Amino acid sequence: MSAKQPHLIVGIGASAGGLDALQHLFAHLPDNTGMSFLVVTHLPADHKSHLAEILRRYTEMDVTMIERDTEVRRNVVFVAPPDSVVLLEKNRFHLAPRGGEPMHKPIDVFFSSLARHSGEEAIGVVLSGTGSDGTLGIKAIKERGGLTLAQGSEGSTPEHHGMPDAAIASGLIDLVLPIQEIGAELGRFASGFVDAAMAAAQTVEAPESYSEVYGLLLRHVGHDFSGYKLSTFHRRVHRRMQICRVATVEEYVELLRADTAEVTLLFRELLIGVTSFFRDNDAFDVLATQVIPKILEGKGSNESVRLWVPGCATGEEAYSLAIMVRECLDTLKVEPRVQIFASDIDEKAVSIARQGRYPKALMDSVSPERRARFFTEDGVSYVVNREIRSMCLFSPHSVLRDQPFSRIDLISCRNLLIYFGAEFQSQVMPIFHFALRPGGYLFLGLAENIGSHSDLFAAVDRKQRIFQKRDHSAFPRTPIIPRAIAALMQAPPLEDEENQSVATLLRHAVDRRVMERYAPAHVLVNRDGDIIFYSARTGKYLEPPGGVPTRHLLTQTRRDLRPDLRAALQEALETLRRVERRGIVADLDDRTSVVDLSVEPFGNSPGDPLFLVVFRDVGEVRERTIGPIAGDERVEQLERTLRETRERLQSEIEEHESALEELKSSNEELHSSNEELQSSNEELETAKEELQSLNEELHTINAELMSKVDALDHANADLVNVFDSTKVAIVFLDQNVVIRNFTPAATEIFNLIPSDAGRPLSDISGSLEDRELHREIREVAQTGAMIERNVRRADGKATYSMRILPYRAPSGRSEGVLVTFVDVTNSVEAEARQRVLVEELNHRVRNMLTVVNSIANQTLRQSTTKEDFVAAFTGRIRAMGAAYTVVAQRNWGDVLLRDIALEQIKPFVDGKAERMKMEGPAIRFSPTAALSFSLVLHELIVNAVKYGALAGVAGSVDLVWKRKGSDALELSWSERGGPTVAAPTRRGFGSELIKREIQRLGGTYGSTYEQSGFRAVLTIPLDESAVQVHS
Amino acid sequence: MLGVGNWPDLNVLVVEDDALVAWDVEAALLDAGCLVVGPANGINRAMELMEANKLDLVVLDLNLGKTSSAPVADRLQEKGIPFIFLSGHSREYLPERHRDRPLVSKPFHPSLLIRALQQAMEHSRAA
């Protein structure tokens, strides 16, 4: 075994009712098993399957519909397309055309291809479905050692039992599980399989470890496997161990000891693969050379040769025989009629056999010549041709329960007996013996034997298990006893024998004597009228007919009793009640007697009833003719009457015989037309099944569509809400610039009403000042390139950002144009405002710099030293800064005089600030006026600090203001207690600045130097825009 | 310092609303040998001074408080008195009809102010 990781490939066959089953299977299947899956279903070829989409909802694995030859990948679910059959070759799925014939069996075809490709790494799963597709495929998989599973009826039952039941009935299914467990079991098996493969690659147990197993098999089934090929034995035992979930051989031996059923299962596992065409070719060769010619030779063309294949299963054995017989017939001049009766208890198997259609993989053992001659190939399977097919007659039949076929030349019963115990074999052998004509042959499987029945059969070829009937036993040694009566007869006696007293024994002897002597004659028959038990003294009523011994009651009954007995039996069989017939006049022996007879059901087996037939002679007919026989004339008359009667009888008999012939032939016709009906019925089944599967899928898709429609409804509702709520105006246009739809906001731009959908946009008047719009829309419709720009309303009240876009259909194709308008009026205005602000800022900065430049220039003119300049200049700049501080605090609104003054005095520490006293009403200054006034105050304060009242430690300043008249403000600046001051010789910068600033405000300025100190008076006009009284 | 070109003792009106800037302009004109009229801090005052004096040149601030000095410029143009703009704004903010008048940007250097005045004079004489 190579070290390669095993690759399990799972074929899943499902049909009617399969969709539900598949959903359950995948819902319970782990998605990382490393296996590959192929789902095969029955669907009409022209139907597009949605199975892949449906399954995707139940598994995380990739689900792919096979559309062309594809490599098999792990952890992928492949779905077979309905119009093809899938084959597996060299790790690739190949598609083959499905062909036109109605009996389409894609599951069988794929399974057998899978079996051939993967061998032991193949797994076949048969799920719900009608018909029997899959059974042959399962057979192929099992033959090559793969694993087979079927959906069982436990838990949730499959919707349609046909397919799984057929597969299960074949006896080749390893595990029958409820659908919910199949997925998990597959997962478990996959992991176990890998381990087992590893283990097997490393160790092959010594034969000794199996000695227990050999022993158990020998003991229970009488077959010694110790000579069997060890590797195969090892694999098959391990397969059983996996299925039983047992880890070691020791544990398995324990299981075998405890459960004899498992021994049987192991036995079957070991014998798998024995029912294909010409299986065990050697044996068939012997049959063809030694047996078949003997059966056929010397038979006339009106004679028939009859073969019987009990347990024919799916028909390969029967067809193999038919082929060999056909080949042999070719060598003969005269061809007798050949009939091969193939029967099986399983009707499904019989219907598969009847179809005679086999996947290629099952045809390996058929030579190319035979394939060409006896089969028709349809690409993926072979169909038995008419010549062979017409030789075979298939029917459901139980070897044990039903009446056996008779006058058979060859019984081929291969590998049926191994499925049953020794008891069955000992029951079957006499049946076979009975069914064969003298010198007939019996052909058994290689693992089978005639057991203890060597008195019935003689070996022709012991190795190939070919036997011939021994003819010396004139009468069937063992009557064919239905099981029911056999059980009845073996029932223990009512009383324990040991407790029986002498009296009781005597009683029984008396009973027996009375019965023999006085009881009416009676027989016990089964439903077919075969006698099972005779009482004493039945000879009066029964007479063995000439010819082959028979046990049939009616053929033995004396003629006069026959019609009444037949009618009574029939009635009893139908009603299961006691039936009586009285006063039947019959010639019994030489007397004319009157007989009563009764038929009554007997025993307690309703399925297999027995009947007790009692004959009672109630006396002779005294005299049929009243008068005495009168002479020869009378005799003559009687003789004539007798002759006429005989003639009439003769013609009746002839008529009867010809009617019988006709019946026979019409029966045969009916048989064949029945066959035809059967097969057309099966064709109809297949068609019905395809429709059923299709219907299921359509149901699912319909449900899905419904939910999609719901989702669409929701999406549509969302869209409607978006339309109604959005402020974005959108107009949808088709390729011809005809309006398809628009949002309510669009009505503000175009004069649209809901009924305008369908009209060209050019018909609608708009409120834009734009003439280019229509040309641009056509351009976008043609080129598909977007256009974006701003447009204004004609009334100038709004600006829109307009975008013209191609409308993309879901297919990606451009199917018109979309025009959107976003109102950007606010942002356009904001932009303009922004520009103004920036310019204003620019202007102010420049003005500020100009002012600073002026202060610097003028300060420089007045300064004598650099230190003077720096002190004065920085002081003034600071004063300006302080003014701005106050203005900024008021957010560039008006500020109070008091606040301006406080801010200007603030830099002067050491209590100087507190020495300036202020008094006056609340006066408001505009920002520019405040700035001017700040510089004025600064100059006054600096002067006082430098030379005046604030220079020393004691002086103070009074700043007092009041309204002067109605339109002016008067401020006085009075210094007291400072050093003595005198008027300066020339006017300084400070007073020049004060004068100019006050002039600018439209006011006047005057100053005096008095004894007490410097004093200044300022008059400023009250003006709405500059200085005013605060209200 | 020379006067404005070859024309000393020119009467120059200063129209400027900021006292300190006006002072600086005045100083520059005086340094250049001009006679200063004003300064006027508003349109009305400017108009008054314009009518009351014989003016040779005018230095005109574009913004007077919150109003534009365009009416003053219009009047000057009518009277044929050469003038220059002094402004923190760029040229595009000048009234369109006066856009080719000399413009001195704030903050100004005295020499640029004087040169602009010379240009205005020359231009006026040439016309």
Side-chain angles (χ1 to χ4, degrees), chain A residues 321-340:
Chain A
L321 272 179
I323 288 169
M324 289 195 311
V325 168
R326 185 65 251 168
E327 286 170 346
C328 190
L329 285 175
D330 292 345
T331 65
L332 299 178
K333 291 199 183 89
V334 183
E335 287 189 13
R337 196 160 152 254
V338 176
Q339 270 192 311
I340 297 173

Side-chain angles (χ1 to χ4, degrees), chain A residues 75-203:
Chain A
N75 296 325
V76 175
V77 180
F78 294 93
V79 177
D83 56 351
S84 308
V85 288
V86 181
L87 298 169
L88 185 55
E89 222 171 280
K90 291 185 183 152
N91 214 32
R92 293 184 74 81
F93 290 120
H94 294 276
L95 293 181
R98 118 180 204 178
E101 84 300 318
M103 304 301 284
H104 171 59
K105 292 180 134 194
I107 302 175
D108 279 343
V109 171
F110 175 70
F111 277 13
S112 22
S113 160
L114 169 64
R116 193 195 293 207
H117 176 270
S118 291
E120 293 186 4
E121 293 173 7
I123 300 179
V125 182
V126 178
L127 303 179
S128 171
T130 62
S132 57
D133 193 8
T135 303
L136 287 176
I138 285 293
K139 182 183 263 189
I141 290 177
K142 200 64 209 157
E143 262 181 22
R144 286 175 160 81
L147 179 76
T148 54
L149 294 96
Q151 184 182 2
S153 303
E154 225 171 279
S156 69
T157 59
E159 267 180 67
H160 297 274
H161 293 267
M163 272 172 29
D165 282 358
I168 295 165
S170 72
L172 297 168
I173 291 292
D174 290 320
L175 287 167
V176 179
L177 293 171
I179 186 65
Q180 290 85 350
E181 288 173 25
I182 291 181
E185 181 63 36
L186 283 175
R188 214 168 14 241
F189 184 80
S191 52
F193 191 88
V194 175
D195 296 345
M198 294 301 173
Q202 285 158 13
T203 57

